[in-house]
Amino acid sequence: MSAAPVMTPGLPATRRDVWRRRAIIANLVAQIGIVVTGGAVRLTASGLGCSTWPMCEPGAFTPVRHAAATGHSFIEFGNRTLTGVLGVIAVAVAVLVWTNRSRGLGYRRLGLAPLIGVALQAVVGGITVLLHLHPAVVAMHMLISLGLIAASTLLLRREDEGDEAPRALVGPAVVRTGWVLAGVAVVLLCLGVVVTGAGPHGGDEEVAYRFAVDPALMSRVHAAAVWAFCAVLAVMLAALWRTGAPRTARRSGIMLGAVTLAQGLIGYVQYFTGLPALLVGLHMLGAGLLTAALTWFLLTLRSRGQLPSDDAAPAPVEASSAV
């Protein structure tokens, strides 16, 4: 989604700069990956593979092998272990970003978002198990992950930018259309979570509380939101070409369009083939990629200047607190 670090002309990247950026990229990849592994837990009916939290079984932190044991406990514990790996990455991001004193306070605070989000997700995941996979809590779990993907994408973009006040690179009409696109995206992602919560994949073979709505009706409403998103995106892309917008914005828009079309295709195929687990899992991956692509696209519509040089004084807090 981004090429080599964008540095001030003539200013070489230090080893710390390189590792910070690698950590930020790893965090974004892991945030999307945890959606996939969480989906695998749900789609293999392993949601209650570990019967309690934070322990896996009463008196045991890890799965216990016994006659009645199944592979579900190991799948669920594996997802918890990956959450721990994501936590380590988030700690590294927080330390490397917060200690970068050449940057403004807004950027440095943003570096704490993945760590706070992972801690919140751990608690929500525990509540999900304790409430036996209540669909509303499961939905919240997914939506928080999508929010973290958006925040992680923003952090990656901010890593390559300066700390000046945002300056639009497109006209006011395109900016307003971008806000509409973001609003429609929030609606369609929320509807997608409701559709999944009303479908057959409850996360456990015996305990599978579902949203009390018509899955077919919600699928059609969700599809209508997707078509609305495509229409708004098409209007934006046409405006970008008509007004000669920056190449980066146009390329990002094309990428978003490709992700959207792929996600829509998977959605229709899974609906007409009875929601096979593999396609549902791909659709969940698509939701994460769509969130990242949309966030990146909207961020290419403005500029915050170049990165500060190593010998520049830290930007005043009052002028640099915005993200």
Side-chain angles (χ1 to χ4, degrees), residues 54-298:
M55 311 292 280
C56 184
E57 302 292 346
F61 182 74
T62 60
V64 178
R65 292 183 177 274
H66 51 79
T70 66
H72 294 322
S73 59
F74 293 95
I75 295 174
E76 164 64 7
F77 185 74
N79 185 59
R80 293 187 183 188
T81 302
L82 288 175
T83 301
V85 173
L86 180 55
V88 172
I89 296 174
V91 169
V93 169
V95 172
L96 290 169
V97 171
W98 183 257
T99 55
N100 185 9
R101 298 293 179 175
S102 67
R103 298 298 303 271
L105 186 58
Y107 160 84
R108 292 166 55 216
R109 284 175 175 169
L110 185 60
L112 303 178
L115 180 59
I116 295 172
V118 169
L120 176 61
Q121 281 289 66
V123 174
V124 173
I127 295 173
T128 302
V129 173
L130 297 177
L131 294 183
H132 303 292
L133 308 179
H134 190 287
V137 184
V138 175
M140 183 187 304
H141 207 33
M142 177 64 174
L143 291 174
I144 292 174
S145 281
L146 295 178
L148 284 171
I149 290 171
S152 298
T153 305
L154 172 59
L155 178 59
L156 178 58
R157 181 68 179 177
R158 293 289 288 110
E159 172 67 13
D160 291 343
E161 294 181 315
D163 293 310
E164 300 174 7
R167 176 177 58 86
L169 300 176
V170 294
V174 178
V175 172
R176 288 193 295 269
T177 308
W179 282 109
V180 173
L181 185 70
V184 175
V186 170
V187 172
L188 76 86
L189 289 171
C190 290
L191 286 173
V193 171
V194 173
V195 170
T196 304
H201 301 291
D204 184 79
E205 294 172 341
E206 297 179 359
V207 179
Y209 305 112
R210 317 306 298 129
F211 284 124
V213 295
D214 182 353
L217 175 61
M218 292 308 302
S219 295
R220 288 193 287 271
V221 174
H222 175 55
V226 173
W227 281 110
F229 181 85
C230 291
V232 177
L233 178 58
V235 170
M236 281 199 72
L237 292 178
L240 292 179
W241 257 264
R242 187 175 63 252
T243 59
R247 183 186 303 177
T248 302
R250 286 179 285 164
R251 282 197 310 233
S252 299
I254 292 175
M255 180 62 67
L256 174 59
V259 173
T260 302
L261 291 176
Q263 180 73 335
L265 177 62
I266 294 172
Y268 274 106
V269 172
Q270 72 171 8
Y271 178 80
F272 288 111
T273 55
L275 300 176
L278 177 60
L279 288 182
V280 175
L282 287 176
H283 205 50
M284 295 179 70
L285 170 62
L289 295 175
L290 178 67
T291 301
L294 172 62
T295 304
W296 189 267
F297 170 58
L298 295 176

